[in-house]
Amino acid sequence: MNRLLATAALTVLATIAAAQDAPPPIEVAQVAPGVHVLYGQGGNIGVSVGGDGMFLIDDQYANLTDKVVEALARISPQQPRFVLNTHWHHDHTGGNENLAAKGSVIVAHDRVRERMGTENVNEFLKRTTPPSPAGALPVVTFNDSLSLHVNDDELRGIHVQAAHTDGDVFIHFRKANVIHTGDLVFAGMYPFIDIDSGGSVAGVIAAVDRMLALADGGTRVIPGHGKVTDRAGLEAYRQLLVVTSGRMRELVKAGKTLDEVLAAKPFADYDGQLAWAFITVERYIQILYRDAARELSAGRT
């Protein structure tokens, strides 16, 4: 009996472990006529569909491509003609090689191709990312901006300097009145600002300002992570960045060490709402402390 119980228990545990390891299902939601978002494990995927075909913004991890393709089939039988990467991180570009093999043309900012083509060392995450396979690299790149005139709309990719990384673009659907922000915006959670990839808090705030200049009360905003939001959501996100980075600057100017800042809990009024598995309270403090210390040493704060 004991052996049977033990065997049954091991089977249950193995089933639970397998379920925990399995990627979550991909959710599809319409944002505007002809524009959808795919939520899954990784960055949110934007989708434009219409008479000119299917166009994607980002493509999540490589091991999710089959699930992404299945989800896209619920929108349209078309195959993606283009994939526009918002930046180089693998939760947004991991599917590039798989989709390129199916015929998609990969498009991104010049620096996205540069970073994907080389080894990247992230001191903050203690992680080294090897170069991406040649088949994953963008084959069309641009410097400042790019326009795709498709599906009775203009999809305008706009580069912003030194923000989440050094190669970010956000995409403005001019007719549909939709903005896909990439990881320039994390909705309802603390953001990851990749200083090791050329990012900065000031750059993210400047990027949000550019989005706000394009947005109105009817604009739908697809963030890099989190649920679709609106102009008010962008304004609240900007306020979070301004308030928390301002508090951090004052602490750094006062000569506080990182340990002292962690102990002070400077963002306690936000922590319970916005901390999450990847960007915990401690990690958000560390990012802003590092950014403020760098700005102070450069005489910019």
Side-chain angles (χ1 to χ4, degrees):
M1 178 64 72
N2 288 342
R3 183 176 297 174
L4 288 173
L5 288 173
T7 301
L10 287 172
T11 301
V12 170
L13 289 172
T15 301
I16 293 173
Q20 290 174 336
D21 291 339
I26 292 180
E27 176 187 348
V28 179
Q30 186 172 31
V31 180
V35 182
H36 294 74
V37 61
L38 269 58
Y39 301 112
Q41 187 181 45
N44 293 335
I45 298 174
V47 186
S48 170
V49 291
D52 296 317
M54 178 180 287
F55 298 79
L56 302 188
I57 302 168
D58 292 336
D59 50 31
Q60 299 192 0
Y61 292 106
N63 67 324
L64 297 178
T65 299
D66 289 344
K67 287 185 174 292
V68 168
V69 170
E70 290 173 4
L72 292 173
R74 304 206 298 268
I75 302 173
S76 168
Q78 300 166 322
Q79 295 297 310
R81 291 182 59 189
F82 289 88
V83 177
L84 175 56
N85 294 145
T86 59
H87 62 289
W88 79 272
H89 290 154
H90 282 186
D91 62 320
H92 295 256
T93 64
N96 281 11
E97 184 176 27
N98 297 331
L99 290 174
K102 295 175 182 291
S104 299
V105 176
I106 311 300
V107 183
H109 188 266
D110 294 334
R111 292 199 184 102
V112 173
R113 181 179 170 91
E114 291 170 9
R115 287 199 174 273
M116 289 182 68
T118 60
E119 180 180 270
N120 285 269
V121 178
N122 190 292
E123 295 180 10
F124 176 70
L125 297 175
K126 309 299 182 190
R127 178 186 301 167
T128 298
T129 303
S132 298
L137 300 180
V139 296
V140 177
T141 63
F142 61 96
N143 188 348
D144 183 53
S145 64
L146 170 79
S147 291
L148 294 174
H149 299 269
V150 296
N151 296 332
D152 196 30
D153 204 340
E154 180 184 352
L155 280 60
R156 188 165 177 80
I158 300 167
H159 171 57
V160 290
Q161 298 281 351
H164 171 64
T165 68
D166 59 6
D168 299 281
V169 299
F170 67 87
I171 294 82
H172 183 210
F173 294 70
R174 298 187 65 180
K175 182 177 179 181
N177 198 11
V178 172
I179 297 174
H180 190 303
T181 72
D183 280 2
L184 295 166
V185 176
F186 286 66
M189 61 189 75
Y190 282 143
F192 173 45
I193 299 171
D194 190 353
I195 295 172
D196 292 300
S197 291
S200 69
V201 177
V204 176
I205 293 172
V208 174
D209 285 341
R210 292 188 68 177
M211 296 178 207
L212 286 169
L214 296 171
D216 59 31
T219 304
R220 304 297 290 159
V221 178
I222 303 173
H225 297 266
K227 296 297 184 179
V228 169
T229 185
D230 53 16
R231 193 180 199 282
L234 278 181
E235 291 171 339
Y237 179 67
R238 185 188 190 282
Q239 180 70 4
L240 164 72
L241 293 168
V242 170
V243 169
T244 55
S245 64
R247 291 178 190 175
M248 185 60 73
R249 280 196 303 274
E250 294 306 312
L251 290 166
V252 172
K253 284 180 181 179
K256 300 296 184 182
T257 66
L258 176 58
D259 286 341
E260 289 172 333
V261 173
L262 288 166
K265 302 184 185 303
F267 312 140
D269 48 335
Y270 290 109
D271 291 343
Q273 308 167 55
L274 303 179
W276 55 297
F278 182 46
I279 302 301
T280 60
V281 173
E282 293 76 14
R283 275 188 166 176
Y284 188 57
I285 287 173
Q286 289 165 0
I287 290 169
L288 264 60
Y289 186 92
R290 186 179 177 194
D291 181 83
R294 179 185 61 177
E295 294 297 295
L296 182 63
S297 67
R300 294 193 293 264
T301 187

